[in-house]
Structure formats: structure tokens, C-alpha cells
Amino acid sequence: MRSVRHLPSCALLLGWLLACGEPGPGEEARKAGSAAVGGAAGFSEPQLALLESLSLASLGPPPPDPSNGVSDLPAAAELGHRLFFDARLSRNGRIACASCHLPELLFTDGRTTSQGLAATSRNAPTLVGAAWSPWMFWDGRRDSLWAQALGPLETAAEMGTTRAAAVGLVARDPGYRAAYEQAFGELPAWLGSERLPASAGPFGDVNEQAAWHRLPERDRVTVDRVFSNLGKAIAAYERLLRPGPSRFDRWVAGLRDGSTGDLLDEEELRGVRLFMDAERTLCLRCHNGPLLTNHGFHRIGTAQGDLLPDFGRFLGIQAVLIDPFNCLGPFSDAPPESCDEIRFLDKAHVGDEMGKFKTPTLRGLPRTAPYMHDGRFETLSQVMDHYREAPARAGDSEITRLTLDDEEIRALVAFL
């Protein structure tokens, strides 16, 4: 397990992230591309409009989260920043949220599948831009950033703590208590006393579960309320993790006035055109908008793992519906009429969601390898090969096999 290094304050970390650009081509490639890229580079008005829709300039602020009343409160984000990097929230005191979401890797971990207290079966997706997604995790089993943040805390293979232990840490730490009360109001005094078991929760071991059920119901509700607030604070911090402009965004910004210069070389420019070509690649079917994702779930022939199949969205829907921390639950700050995503979730055809996984963003790809929900592909070239050799059997995949030659694949990879 990688150790979590001390990191700068929330504001400094955000500034660092926004300043990070993507690597540029070599000087020779830049010179070669300068003749090919200029003015509108031969793009039609509809193509220019499409390119502008893919640029970060069209992103806007994160959508509001009515289920989290402190989602944009600086005091909550500061508390969430501290919690995100605090390994004391794990059972062994060595694992933090940041152990699987490292800033230098665009808040991924570079592993095929993440490693917490034990090996997990999923690849850690980037948190950058996650505030725009209505569903969390690869299978969408949570419907908000704050509900997502709570899951790994209690998951045995990840951080493996209990909600009483997490709440007790905050209640007994003077700095945490002050920060919590600044964001959420007074913390009940008894949470810092022996009245609260050192470790208790509905998902702990037998003794921890027994300790949880010995608590009066009103005490369990109080613990759950504070626990949910810890997730809301972490979510307030994660909402600040927003993508910075890439060469692609700067190139798009200069297309109309001819100031693109040599930002893209010839191969990258060819890759742009392939990406936009609905007849050749169909990339835009799922990877659209400024985050290059439709935030939807699709079956692309990756459900079968080395040992067992991964049911993906099929189980994700069922999990989000029974989650007590969902938008409609008792710890949500939203009125029920604001919970459109879960209210109108299609429950009648859940079987159709078997083997579907969330469409990831294509931003920051050089720093977020390996790829797919189980990290099965180390390189983008391998991803492209998968799309050229996609399962042909009905029901295994929604995608149409790419008919691109090796040169075209290299161009598409260069753009990505």
C-alpha cells in the first residue's frame, strides 16, 4: 500500500490541479502540424459547433446537489479535505481515501484494481469532474458524491472501519470537532464519551454488529446523521476537483480566429476527425460533452472477468435503491421532488442492465491508466484493439466493431 504524503491546503491543491496541462508533442511534430492547423482548419460550421461542445469552455459549474446542504460551503470542503487524506479513518490506520485516489495520477491509483485492506475487483476511477455525474462507482450504486464517500469507509476490502469509529474519531479530536461544528452545528457531547462504542456498525464483525444493535435506536440515528455529514464534507471537497484545460481546449478556442498555431500535430488532427466521424468510429455516441462522457451505462463486452462475471449496473440499481444514504433517504437534505434520478429510475427492466458499466471521462487519459472497470487494458492501443475485436454475439456488447487500420488507430490514440 502506498503511503499518503502530506499535501497542500485545499486551495493550493485545487490551484495545482487546474494548472496541470497535458503533455504536448515534440518540437518536430509541432512544426509538422503547424501547416495543417490554422484558421478553422477546414471544419464546417456544424463541426466547429460540435468541437466547441467538447471543450471545457462549455462545461459550466457543477450542478447543485440538493441532497447535500453543505456541498458548496468552504468550511465543509476544508473538513472534507482533511478527512480525505486521513488514514486514521481506516481499520489499520494506514489507508485513506487518497490511497486509491492520488492527486498526481488525477485522483486514480495506477493499479489494475485497487488495493485496500484486501484486493478489490474494480479499478479506481478519477474523481476529477465526478461532481457532474448523477451516479457514482462503475455500477452506479450510489447517487451522490457524499453517499459514495461513505461506502469505502465501511467496506471490508477497502478502509474497513465502522461508522461509530469514524464518528468517534471526529468527536474526540478537538480540531475535527471544531471543524465539524463550523460546518454542521453542535456535535452531541456524548459522541465523544464511552457511551459511544469504540467500534460499532451494521457492517463490522460479529462483535461490532452486536455493539451497534445494543445502542438505542435514537443513538444509532444520531451516529448515522453525523456519519452522513462526514460524507457530505468529503463530497464538498471533491466538488473542487475540476479538470483544467488541455491542448485540445486551447486548440478549439483558437479555431475561429486562426490562433491555434501548432497546438495539434497532423496525426492528432487526423485523430480529431476520426473521433468526430459518426460513421467510422461512433465515439461520440457515448463520449460527448465537455467531460467526454454521457454519464450513462453501456455493455461493451467487458463483463466477463478472469474468474466470475461482473454484473455491473444490474446490481448497482438494486444497491442504490436500498441505500439509506440515497437522495430519498432520511439523511438527504433534498425534498423528494428534487431526487429525479432515483425517482424515475427504470426498475421494470433492471435485467437489461446486466454487464453494463459507466462511461468514463476521456479527460486526463495519460495519467489514468489502466483502463476499463477492471483495469484490464494497460494502453489505449489495447482499448482500441478491443473495439476492433468486440464480441459479435448478440447481447454481449452494444458496440459495433471498428474497421480502422493501424495508422488510423494510432491517430485516434494520439488525439486521445
Side-chain angles (χ1 to χ4, degrees):
M1 171 56 60
R2 294 181 176 88
S3 61
V4 180
R5 298 192 297 275
H6 175 72
L7 288 163
S9 71
C10 195
L12 290 178
L13 178 59
L14 176 60
W16 172 86
L17 180 63
L18 292 175
C20 284
E22 294 176 9
E27 284 304 311
E28 292 304 316
R30 288 185 182 276
K31 293 176 182 178
S34 62
V37 183
F43 291 105
S44 67
E45 180 59 35
Q47 288 175 323
L48 287 172
L50 173 58
L51 286 167
E52 288 167 346
S53 77
L54 303 178
S55 170
L56 274 185
S58 68
L59 182 59
D65 179 4
S67 73
N68 183 357
V70 300
S71 60
D72 295 308
L73 183 69
E78 289 288 351
L79 172 60
H81 175 251
R82 291 181 59 190
L83 293 169
F84 189 88
F85 292 98
D86 194 339
R88 292 180 297 168
L89 285 169
S90 65
R91 182 174 291 270
N92 66 359
R94 297 171 55 192
I95 302 165
C97 301
S99 299
C100 294
H101 298 284
L102 296 109
E104 61 267 33
L105 293 179
L106 218 66
F107 291 83
T108 65
D109 63 4
R111 297 177 181 271
T112 300
T113 55
S114 292
Q115 177 75 34
L117 291 173
T120 73
S121 61
R122 297 274 177 85
N123 175 263
T126 180
L127 295 178
V128 177
W132 279 265
S133 178
W135 304 107
M136 303 298 149
F137 294 109
W138 284 100
D139 56 10
R141 65 183 182 272
R142 296 293 182 268
D143 64 349
S144 69
L145 274 176
W146 66 270
Q148 180 279 325
L150 299 175
L153 293 174
E154 295 187 293
T155 299
E158 296 185 61
M159 297 170 73
T161 190
T162 65
R163 60 190 64 179
V167 168
L169 171 65
V170 171
R172 296 178 182 115
D173 182 299
Y176 266 148
R177 175 179 278 274
Y180 178 94
E181 292 184 342
Q182 184 179 2
F184 297 102
E186 186 176 0
L187 192 64
W190 70 267
L191 291 175
S193 72
E194 293 183 358
R195 179 174 159 188
L196 178 69
S199 188
F203 304 113
D205 61 29
V206 173
N207 292 329
E208 289 164 337
Q209 291 183 44
W212 177 252
H213 290 295
R214 282 196 299 269
L215 284 171
E217 182 180 0
R218 66 179 183 279
D219 288 356
R220 295 200 300 268
V221 171
T222 298
V223 172
D224 284 344
R225 174 67 63 186
V226 176
F227 185 61
S228 71
N229 286 341
L230 302 187
K232 291 173 184 178
I234 294 172
Y237 165 66
E238 291 176 343
R239 280 173 67 85
L240 300 178
L241 306 181
R242 305 173 185 181
S246 66
R247 281 190 296 120
F248 170 73
D249 300 301
R250 295 191 289 273
W251 174 75
V252 170
L255 277 174
R256 291 188 183 274
D257 63 9
S259 62
T260 57
D262 56 359
L263 283 170
L264 298 188
D265 64 33
E266 289 180 347
E267 186 173 51
E268 291 168 333
L269 181 58
R270 189 179 185 198
V272 170
R273 293 186 180 279
L274 283 167
F275 187 84
M276 297 169 60
D277 190 335
E279 295 184 0
R280 297 295 313 283
T281 65
L282 299 178
C283 297
L284 288 167
R285 177 187 293 177
C286 301
H287 296 286
N288 49 56
L291 292 178
L292 298 170
T293 172
N294 63 359
H295 303 294
F297 297 84
H298 298 279
R299 185 183 300 107
I300 60 169
T302 58
Q304 183 62 50
D306 292 336
L307 299 175
L308 297 171
D310 190 325
F311 297 117
R313 185 62 169 151
F314 171 74
L315 293 181
I317 287 177
Q318 298 172 68
V320 76
L321 290 173
I322 64 173
D323 177 28
F325 300 111
N326 68 29
C327 187
L328 292 172
F331 307 103
S332 168
D333 299 323
E337 60 269 20
S338 298
C339 302
D340 288 349
E341 295 290 346
I342 194 167
R343 284 174 62 218
F344 298 108
L345 189 62
D346 184 2
K347 309 172 188 65
H349 302 96
V350 66
D352 295 340
E353 303 302 305
M354 189 74 72
K356 291 185 178 181
F357 298 94
K358 190 167 73 170
T359 304
T361 178
L362 297 183
R363 289 194 170 270
L365 288 177
R367 282 182 282 165
T368 59
Y371 308 107
M372 301 297 180
H373 75 277
D374 55 3
R376 66 179 61 193
F377 299 130
E378 292 288 338
T379 68
L380 289 173
S381 294
Q382 291 173 336
V383 174
M384 292 298 101
D385 286 341
H386 171 77
Y387 278 85
R388 286 201 291 188
E389 303 165 2
R393 293 176 300 181
D396 283 351
S397 177
E398 301 173 19
I399 59 179
T400 302
R401 290 184 176 183
L402 292 180
T403 57
L404 303 180
D405 60 33
D406 289 346
E407 186 176 347
E408 289 172 318
I409 289 293
R410 285 193 294 271
L412 193 54
V413 169
F415 164 60
L416 293 174

